[in-house]
Amino acid sequence: MTNEYWQGVDQIKYIGHQDKKSGLGFQYYNPDEVIGGKKMRDWLRFSVAYWHTFDQRLVDPFGDGTAQRPYDHITDPMDLALAKVDAAFEFYHKLGVDYLCFHDRDLAPEGDTLRETNRNLDKVIDKIVDYQKQTGMKVLWNTSNMFTNPRFVAGAATSPDADVFAYAAAQLKHSLEIGKRVGAENYVFWGGREGYESLWNTNMKLEQEHAAKFFHMAKDYANEIGFDAQMLLEPKPKEPSTHQYDFDAATTIAFMKEYDLDKDFKLNLEGNHANLAGHTYQHEIRVAREANLLGSLDANQGDKLIGWDIDEFPSDLYEATAAMYEVVENGSIGPRGGLNFDAKPRRSSFAANDLFYGHIVGMDTFAAGLRVALKMKQDGFLEKLVADRYRSYQSGVGAEIEAGTADFKSLESYAIDKPQSELVAATSSDHLEEVKDTINHYIIETLSK
Ligand code: XLS
Ligand code: NI
Ligand code: NI
């Protein structure tokens, strides 16, 4: 590394919460510590998102960017693109992460034609591949930006304009080739504008068929070139479109099953998207894991008071504990999943070093969540609780229902003369407040050790 971009920051170390009160350093993330049978780095597989970390200017719908970055003095777009790669790899090294994620358009400026754009991109990819050889950095996933350029105003694969579909396919083809070059472990599709603004002018059925066709073509081409990444769809209910077809995990799973995509695709789930769909992050992860379709996670959080995708760095220990509980139950985030920080500092945190603080709080929050979830798992706390709650299915009429030997007639004769008092006596309180108190205890106890 010739030039030091992130000055005043050394490699971030694990300090432990007793010794760290503020500043740079991890309280809970100790990468090589083995917990629950795996190193923390292998449980969590943290990834830095190129777009938010190196490109994002911290704009909001009412204001210009405030970000101050160490390469802001570079004006030529290609020089800037190449300098950012140096800055990025220095950042990964100092932060101590093993993975990065990017969109094609994060890396290099567009030319007038796709051929020119590809040429720009390939120069940056060459540089990334060189760095990968030197450092061992891996790509958790790459993706294609098919939502920023005005050509995608009405979607890419779901655009009413066939030329746009064709362009998107050509763009994606190159993205898959790039994915292969950098050895991406997953490939993500987030349908930024794959939805509609208004139903009055939309052929929803046709658009969804086109989306499915596009995904099949992508998988076919990936197979053809021997790019064996796990394909992932990333649900989000709305924003920028009023409605997006990959609304939430359940809707996307139904789509995948309808169009025969569930063998080759899994889900990449994001905390803030879950909230926009009216769900918790835990709910989305649960739905995916029960369908055996959990692929990877975008780590960020929304704000109870703000109704859009604000991509805040995760700091909510309770939410991270719930997410990591699902991951622990699943055995891993996904076959090749990781935690990608699809997150940016607040607009008022514009200093370069805030990018480190953002990742540190995010990494520590999920590391803390993992520690708590493993402790609960080790004690069998929630397993026992849930098993006990459904115990009536283990014997008597419950066992008959489970075994499939009961029918409406046998159940009627069982139930018809039971007095109300007996039915009420058979139910038991959930003691949900006690359960939540115990979860709080696990969090406090585990994190203060
Ligand atoms: C936007 C999405 C996006 C995807 C990648 O809301 O989260 O960042 O993760 O295109
Ligand atoms: Ni995302
Ligand atoms: Ni998002």
Side-chain angles (χ1 to χ4, degrees):
M1 275 166 226
T2 42
N3 192 347
E4 190 182 14
Y5 284 94
W6 310 97
Q7 293 183 8
V9 180
D10 295 328
Q11 236 197 323
I12 316 289
K13 295 260 152 51
Y14 169 69
I15 297 172
H17 69 277
Q18 281 101 341
D19 294 322
K20 182 192 151 163
K21 290 215 167 50
S22 61
L24 297 162
F26 296 115
Q27 308 189 50
Y28 295 107
Y29 180 55
N30 188 11
D32 293 316
E33 183 182 333
V34 175
I35 53 174
K38 276 192 261 188
K39 284 184 180 176
M40 291 188 93
R41 66 164 80 239
D42 296 329
W43 272 112
L44 298 158
R45 294 165 44 107
F46 289 128
S47 156
V48 172
Y50 211 91
W51 55 103
H52 279 313
T53 307
F54 308 112
D55 295 337
Q56 173 60 243
R57 304 307 305 168
L58 306 182
V59 295
D60 73 16
F62 300 95
D64 293 342
T66 56
Q68 295 174 5
R69 299 294 176 249
Y71 34 73
D72 285 347
H73 58 284
I74 304 173
T75 49
D76 176 77
M78 255 333 272
D79 290 348
L80 178 60
L82 292 167
K84 275 186 193 171
V85 177
D86 293 316
F89 276 83
E90 186 191 321
F91 188 89
Y92 306 143
H93 173 71
K94 288 186 167 172
L95 188 63
V97 288
D98 301 324
Y99 291 91
L100 68 140
C101 286
F102 60 84
H103 300 81
D104 43 10
R105 299 296 168 262
D106 301 344
L107 301 180
E110 289 205 46
D112 189 43
T113 61
L114 184 58
R115 193 183 297 279
E116 278 175 36
T117 304
N118 288 348
R119 212 177 284 142
N120 291 347
L121 184 51
D122 288 342
K123 279 190 203 140
V124 177
I125 292 291
D126 289 344
K127 188 161 179 178
I128 289 180
V129 169
D130 280 350
Y131 264 115
Q132 284 186 288
K133 283 187 193 134
Q134 289 166 40
T135 62
M137 270 297 285
K138 291 170 274 189
V139 173
L140 184 65
W141 49 263
N142 68 315
T143 182
S144 206
N145 176 331
M146 301 199 188
F147 42 88
T148 301
N149 191 292
R151 76 177 73 89
F152 299 121
V153 60
T158 66
S159 168
D161 186 342
D163 270 11
V164 176
F165 186 108
Y167 187 99
Q171 179 175 337
L172 203 93
K173 175 177 176 289
H174 196 69
S175 245
L176 295 170
E177 291 159 2
I178 282 171
K180 186 179 178 195
R181 285 194 61 200
V182 299
E185 300 193 13
N186 303 271
Y187 191 89
V188 164
F189 295 84
W190 170 61
R193 294 182 196 274
E194 310 292 32
Y196 59 77
E197 284 305 322
S198 167
L199 271 182
W200 293 115
N201 64 1
T202 299
N203 185 338
M204 193 158 86
K205 183 81 185 150
L206 187 74
E207 292 200 1
Q208 288 193 276
E209 281 169 10
H210 286 174
K213 214 171 251 171
F214 192 83
F215 295 140
H216 277 290
M217 285 181 188
K219 179 61 186 163
D220 288 348
Y221 186 66
N223 287 344
E224 196 180 321
I225 62 171
F227 175 37
D228 69 348
Q230 172 65 55
M231 298 282 160
L232 303 173
L233 300 184
E234 182 177 326
K236 183 176 180 179
K238 56 189 167 186
E239 196 210 47
S241 308
T242 41
H243 176 89
Q244 284 173 213
Y245 296 133
D246 294 340
F247 192 89
D248 60 0
T251 312
T252 308
I253 291 171
F255 169 84
M256 287 156 75
K257 290 194 190 285
E258 178 166 358
Y259 291 102
D260 197 24
L261 292 158
D262 55 317
K263 308 286 173 299
D264 292 324
F265 286 69
K266 291 190 188 291
L267 297 174
N268 181 43
L269 299 165
E270 177 167 322
N272 207 154
H273 296 183
N275 302 156
L276 292 176
H279 303 310
T280 60
Y281 199 14
Q282 181 180 19
H283 168 94
E284 288 294 85
I285 304 173
R286 174 73 63 93
V287 169
R289 104 168 147 82
E290 291 195 333
N292 198 22
L293 290 172
L294 179 58
S296 199
L297 295 173
D298 268 8
N300 67 16
Q301 67 186 26
D303 188 300
K304 287 189 186 80
L305 307 178
I306 298 180
W308 74 80
D309 194 10
I310 60 164
D311 294 329
E312 195 175 326
F313 273 101
S315 59
D316 185 329
L317 293 170
Y318 202 83
E319 192 171 69
T321 298
M324 291 315 293
Y325 165 72
E326 299 299 326
V327 167
V328 165
E329 285 297 306
N330 199 53
S332 69
I333 295 176
R336 302 180 203 168
L339 278 160
N340 170 53
F341 289 105
D342 199 350
K344 61 186 181 189
R346 296 307 82 201
R347 188 166 178 269
S348 51
S349 301
F350 46 75
N353 289 0
D354 290 319
L355 290 168
F356 285 97
Y357 289 116
H359 284 89
I360 288 169
V361 68
M363 290 162 80
D364 262 342
T365 299
F366 274 89
L370 173 65
R371 289 181 188 275
V372 179
L374 282 171
K375 181 73 183 100
M376 293 195 296
K377 176 79 182 170
Q378 191 187 314
D379 291 358
F381 159 54
L382 292 165
E383 261 164 351
K384 279 183 218 142
L385 185 107
V386 174
D388 188 51
R389 190 155 183 258
Y390 296 91
R391 68 186 178 280
S392 66
Y393 283 89
Q394 246 137 55
S395 57
V397 74
E400 286 166 25
I401 294 169
E402 289 298 359
T405 53
D407 61 17
F408 269 18
K409 282 183 282 172
S410 72
L411 295 175
E412 184 198 50
S413 36
Y414 177 79
I416 199 150
D417 292 319
K418 270 198 188 291
Q420 171 69 1
S421 56
E422 209 179 296
L423 285 168
V424 172
T427 63
S428 43
S429 168
D430 275 349
H431 305 303
L432 208 43
E433 292 70 17
E434 190 203 349
V435 172
K436 290 188 180 175
D437 191 43
T438 309
I439 292 172
N440 280 354
H441 176 79
Y442 269 104
I443 294 175
I444 295 163
E445 182 77 4
T446 312
L447 300 184
S448 48
K449 281 231 171 72

